[in-house]
Amino acid sequence: MDLFSRSWTALRTAVAGLPDEDFARPSGCTGWLVRDLACHLVIDAQDVLITLVTPTTAKPTHDAVTYWNVSDTPPAGDDPLDALTVRLAAAYEEPRLLKFHLDDVGSAAGRAAGLADPEQRVRTQDMVLTVGDYLSAYVLEWTLHHLDLIAHLPGAAEPPAECLARSRAVLEAIVGAPFPPSWPDPDALRVGTGRRPPTAAERTELGPLAGRLPLVLG
């Protein structure tokens, strides 16, 4: 739960510090501007709040690794929710309004996570997880989106090192194999999730694993 707080705080701080012109730059999410990504984070924060107040006594069906729906097919760009996110982002008109909403809802989600019992079971997307596993899964979500946020913003601060390391470990557990030890964590995460293609040298280092990438997480 500590890593959830660190990753979420770092991401929200990064968004809050962006100058207005950066919201119109592309993000690391194909087809999304930075403002679209920031709007998606508002929706993510709402999901966290909703899930944390949806307790259940049912047995857990998933954990922080199996939470993820894994595909090898990148998004086609025709998902209705993705389209709605873009329209909502444009409706804010001024970046300060989007920043305010993210800070407002995002702070509430952070407080709710800090107050939650990690052993409590919650239900989301037809899954049952402990709060601890649910929040742990979101460390990967926040860390990947932090990398998306700064993809075209030279000099921007990266996610916390411990959150990058944890996210890499989860991704390796999902794929069932380690990435080359010499790879920095951001490169392992970007290549592993298709945020950039591997170079020829990296593909050689990956060996048979290259044929199983990228992992499209949903």
Side-chain angles (χ1 to χ4, degrees), residues 30 71-78 193-194 214-217:
T30 303
S71 169
D72 58 3
T73 304
D78 55 0
T193 59
L215 297 178
V216 179
L217 305 181

Side-chain angles (χ1 to χ4, degrees), residues 13-31:
T13 300
V15 173
L18 294 178
D20 286 0
E21 58 269 23
D22 282 351
F23 281 76
R25 296 181 186 273
S27 76
C29 293
T30 303

